[in-house]
Amino acid sequence: LLDKFNWLVAAAAQDGPARARVVGAVAAYWRASPHMTWLVLSKLVRRELVDPQALVGWLCSAPERRRLAWPSTWEGLHLLFERSLSHFKSVEGELKAEEDKYAEYVEMIGGEEEGSTSAAGQRLETKRAISERARREKKELFANFFAGVCGAFDDHAKAAAAAGAPVETAWWSAAIGHAVGLCRRHIAEYSLSSVEAVVEVDELAAAVQRSVFERLREVSAWQL
């Protein structure tokens, strides 16, 4: 069906809000089957009909963030991150191979040419542009993920404090555990200090700082 109606989904997902609506429509249609929801969403991401940012934004929105406690949600998110990081590493490998080929070419002709427009030089520039795009997408994936989940956790913690209710509900414990687990798994792939700046960690509720960032700092310290 996606092969047949690819053009229609693409037309309906022209910008960020539209892509989020597409994600929401898929989830509503498959509401009785969370696993099927993520199967379809993963196919849409692979075909670039929706992007990870739209998916995370939808997942962390107030009406949908209950899903952050569902195992099927994190199975889908782990798959999303694994595929995105695999793509990035593949692109980096292709760039390294092209750089090696170009070095051999330069050695063969006795040095780089001023203003060279050789096919080898053009291929290298193309690979560099693709690599730069992949780097930006990886940074955006982590930044949007942290901003989304920490926003959801912050809203919960502050609402609980205002109501005099406990922060550590069943939803909180499950969602925090899954989120920290994913972030720990990929901690070498992002800068924790940059993420903290993006989410303005000092403005987050103390419970979020303690439950998410203090734990990640401990893991990050072991990476040094």
Side-chain angles (χ1 to χ4, degrees), residues 188-201:
E189 302 292 344
Y190 62 90
S191 164
L192 184 57
S193 60
S194 296
V195 165
E196 289 179 345
V198 168
V199 302
E200 299 181 326
V201 67

Side-chain angles (χ1 to χ4, degrees), residues 32-97:
S33 176
H35 286 88
M36 195 65 192
T37 296
W38 281 98
L39 176 63
V40 175
L41 290 176
S42 67
K43 290 180 180 294
L44 292 176
V45 171
R46 283 205 306 275
R47 292 168 179 260
E48 298 185 350
L49 294 171
V50 300
D51 53 29
Q53 290 80 5
L55 198 158
V56 171
W58 163 80
L59 178 62
C60 296
S61 65
E64 304 298 339
R65 58 184 54 158
R66 68 189 185 283
R67 296 172 183 268
L68 291 173
W70 298 0
S72 59
T73 294
W74 294 96
E75 290 172 8
L77 285 174
H78 275 285
L79 184 60
L80 173 67
F81 274 79
E82 293 289 352
R83 284 177 173 162
S84 296
L85 294 173
S86 176
H87 170 68
F88 171 72
K89 290 173 182 176
S90 175
V91 167
E92 289 291 280
E94 291 175 7
L95 174 60
K96 178 63 168 60

Side-chain angles (χ1 to χ4, degrees), residues 91-112:
V91 167
E92 289 291 280
E94 291 175 7
L95 174 60
K96 178 63 168 60
E98 199 62 50
E99 287 175 336
D100 291 344
K101 289 179 183 178
Y102 186 73
E104 293 175 3
Y105 166 76
V106 169
E107 184 178 357
M108 182 183 68
I109 66 174
E112 292 191 67

Side-chain angles (χ1 to χ4, degrees), residues 102 105-106 109 111-122 125:
Y102 186 73
Y105 166 76
V106 169
I109 66 174
E112 292 191 67
E113 299 174 342
E114 288 291 331
S116 173
T117 57
S118 66
Q122 291 176 358
E125 288 306 309

Side-chain angles (χ1 to χ4, degrees), residues 114-198:
E114 288 291 331
S116 173
T117 57
S118 66
Q122 291 176 358
R123 285 196 302 271
L124 179 58
E125 288 306 309
T126 298
K127 292 294 184 183
R128 283 175 173 165
I130 293 172
S131 176
E132 182 58 31
R133 177 187 173 188
R135 285 178 182 274
R136 287 197 306 271
E137 289 175 346
K138 185 176 82 162
K139 289 180 180 178
E140 289 171 0
L141 175 62
F142 281 102
N144 281 282
F145 172 77
F146 271 98
V149 296
C150 288
F153 297 151
D154 190 55
D155 288 348
H156 171 85
K158 289 176 178 175
V167 172
E168 296 187 6
T169 61
W171 175 87
W172 171 272
S173 298
I176 286 281
H178 283 300
V180 171
L182 187 149
C183 295
R184 290 178 62 177
R185 179 179 178 85
H186 300 298
I187 201 161
E189 302 292 344
Y190 62 90
S191 164
L192 184 57
S193 60
S194 296
V195 165
E196 289 179 345
V198 168

